Amino acid sequence: MFDLVIDNVRICSCEQDLSCRPETAIGVEAGRITALDPPPEAPRRRHLDGGGRLVLPGFVDCHTHAVYAGDRLDEYLARLSGQSYEAQIKAGGGIFHTVQATRRATLTELIDLGVQHAVPLIAEGVTTLEVKSGYGLERETEMRLLQAAQALGPILKSRIVPTFLGAHVPPPGEDPARYLERVMDDMLPACIETGLTRAVDIYVDAIAFGPEHLDRLFERAKSLSCALHAHTDQRTRLGATIRAADWGAVSCDHLDESGPDDVRALARSGTVAVLLPTAALFLGQTRKPPVDALRKAAVPIAIASDLNPGTAPDPSLLRAAQEAVRHFSLTPTEALLGITKNAARALDPQPDFGTLAVGQSADFNLWDLSRPESLLYAPGGCRPTMSFYRGERR
Ligand code: NIG
Ligand code: FE
């Protein structure tokens, strides 16, 4: 017995490209797609006429810092008058500014703020949202951030993937290696033991951690069976992409300064390249990730919003995908697979979300659009007509 059958739809499964499947109906049972074109006589609890609409997988935003307190408007304005992101963090602002505000916020406040920040993403069809910690830089707040992230799942009716980013930046005045010891020996085990995360991230940059810190953290995280992610080559190329790939990282994110050796390492390891055009543009960066080399080496490319108060405060995954096309020269197919199939792979090597096929989670949206490319043409006006997460209307 199907819980739901939707017929009269055009199914863009995002498995290979943007073409529509020959089938025109979806059968859902227990939150999964269990049939395409189920027999018309098959019993069902609910039936919906899709009205000829387009169905796409629910979007996957695979890199966000959506739970934080405060904003960084003053710093943005100061940057417009010439101050640099680096100078701000060196003066104790930047990420530290958000850390101060976040440490003061209660769990309830962080949940409310996370909802506020993420609602626009959900409204444009995101059904899976990765959320990093990293604005606590001490155990209690890091754990509170992950707890708040997890709490968003039932509220937003979405899949939340919480990632531990205790190694965001070393706290001011602290020796990076000493702080990293605390991250590895205290914060990370506490977050794993309490079921708050199964994934680890680190920011490697001149203003953050070095590649030697990545090695130490990844060795420990791997022994704890964590999925590995790294912010690499965003502002400075320190060789961290190669190291992360060699550790078997699921994703390397940013890559604005990456070169041919980095691309080769990603290709060897099957690591997903996560591009974050919103942050690159917001910081006024002129260098662009090596998209053509990534494409030629068949590295899977994902796009994410990077939603955060410092470098990407604008909550739109569709606009990020549009920017990837306009500024990073992705094709429309690459951009849309980058927020579906490949974004799912940036979170899980064998995801049961991000594409539409039998056996996949029933996360999908119905769109009143003639073609999927319309999502990149005018993203600001695009809202799904109906949205389903695990087979439930939301
Ligand atoms: O992905 N680069 C490091 N982390 C974030 C920015 C965090 C912030 O500025 O608050 C990023 O761009
Ligand atoms: Fe980030």
Side-chain angles (χ1 to χ4, degrees):
M1 163 83 92
F2 289 104
D3 294 321
L4 170 69
V5 172
I6 305 182
D7 62 12
N8 191 18
V9 284
R10 293 169 294 129
I11 304 169
C12 174
S13 69
C14 292
E15 289 168 296
Q16 302 294 338
D17 54 33
L18 302 181
S19 61
C20 283
R21 295 187 62 118
E23 300 91 346
T24 57
I26 300 176
V28 174
E29 277 171 82
R32 292 197 178 270
I33 299 173
T34 52
L36 294 174
D37 275 355
E41 66 284 0
R44 68 226 29 211
R45 291 195 177 83
R46 240 181 113 210
H47 186 106
L48 257 176
D49 179 353
R53 292 190 180 87
L54 196 59
V55 184
L56 278 102
F59 299 134
V60 178
D61 195 346
C62 65
H63 179 141
T64 84
H65 310 248
V67 180
Y68 60 85
D71 69 48
R72 306 247 290 277
L73 174 61
D74 289 343
E75 291 184 356
Y76 172 58
L77 297 176
R79 284 208 300 278
L80 293 179
S81 325
Q83 221 175 56
S84 74
Y85 183 68
E86 280 74 11
Q88 294 179 333
I89 192 162
K90 280 183 190 146
I95 292 170
F96 299 128
H97 186 106
T98 303
V99 168
Q100 282 157 23
T102 303
R103 283 181 180 169
R104 284 195 297 267
T106 64
L107 176 62
T108 315
E109 286 166 345
L110 289 177
I111 295 170
D112 287 350
L113 289 165
V115 169
Q116 243 177 64
H117 301 149
V119 154
L121 294 169
I122 306 306
E124 61 178 13
V126 170
T127 51
T128 299
L129 186 71
E130 188 263 9
V131 181
K132 300 177 196 299
S133 66
Y135 291 126
L137 309 182
E138 42 86 10
R139 182 165 70 157
E140 211 204 317
T141 312
E142 286 294 313
M143 292 180 81
R144 197 157 72 251
L145 282 164
L146 294 173
Q147 257 177 296
Q150 283 193 347
L152 300 183
I155 301 172
L156 300 172
K157 298 191 178 123
S158 302
R159 180 181 296 98
I160 301 291
V161 181
T163 302
F164 174 67
L165 178 59
H168 199 178
V169 282
E174 280 214 47
D175 174 55
R178 187 91 48 83
Y179 173 68
L180 194 73
E181 296 284 330
R182 277 217 305 289
V183 168
M184 295 190 309
D185 297 341
D186 178 35
M187 292 153 71
L188 174 62
C191 291
I192 293 174
E193 278 157 24
T194 48
L196 287 173
T197 190
R198 287 182 304 175
V200 160
D201 197 341
I202 180 169
Y203 176 30
V204 180
D205 213 325
I207 47 168
F209 288 94
E212 70 280 13
H213 302 124
L214 178 144
D215 282 337
R216 303 199 55 209
L217 178 66
F218 276 14
E219 184 176 17
R220 180 67 56 86
K222 208 170 176 173
S223 76
L224 297 167
S225 306
C226 285
L228 309 175
H229 304 272
H231 287 65
T232 61
D233 302 340
Q234 180 183 14
R235 310 282 292 167
T236 43
R237 181 178 178 274
L238 300 175
T241 300
I242 298 174
R243 300 223 200 174
D246 289 349
W247 279 108
V250 195
S251 78
C252 281
D253 303 35
H254 286 288
L255 305 173
D256 305 292
E257 299 282 334
S258 297
D261 293 349
D262 306 306
V263 174
R264 270 191 291 277
L266 294 171
R268 263 198 314 273
S269 60
T271 302
V272 178
V274 177
L275 308 185
L276 305 163
T278 311
L281 289 167
F282 197 71
L283 290 175
Q285 290 175 190
T286 47
R287 300 259 307 187
K288 296 180 184 183
V291 167
D292 202 40
L294 291 168
R295 182 184 288 138
K296 284 188 179 127
V299 174
I301 301 174
I303 311 295
S305 71
D306 197 12
L307 177 61
N308 77 76
T311 68
D314 195 21
S316 174
L317 183 60
L318 284 178
R319 199 162 300 114
Q322 184 194 51
E323 285 162 351
V325 171
R326 283 188 185 169
H327 299 284
F328 291 174
S329 306
L330 265 73
T331 65
T333 302
E334 287 168 335
L336 291 174
L337 297 194
I339 59 171
T340 53
K341 178 189 181 178
N342 289 341
R345 287 170 72 186
L347 296 177
D348 183 339
Q350 282 174 325
D352 65 353
F353 54 94
T355 56
L356 298 178
V358 169
Q360 292 292 83
S361 183
D363 309 346
F364 49 75
N365 297 303
L366 271 64
W367 298 90
D368 248 323
L369 298 171
S370 57
R371 302 168 60 182
E373 289 89 337
S374 308
L375 294 163
L376 304 169
Y377 175 63
C382 288
R383 292 286 173 273
T385 317
M386 287 181 220
S387 186
F388 292 84
Y389 171 61
R390 293 190 199 272
E392 297 289 330
R393 181 96 185 257
R394 50 173 212 171

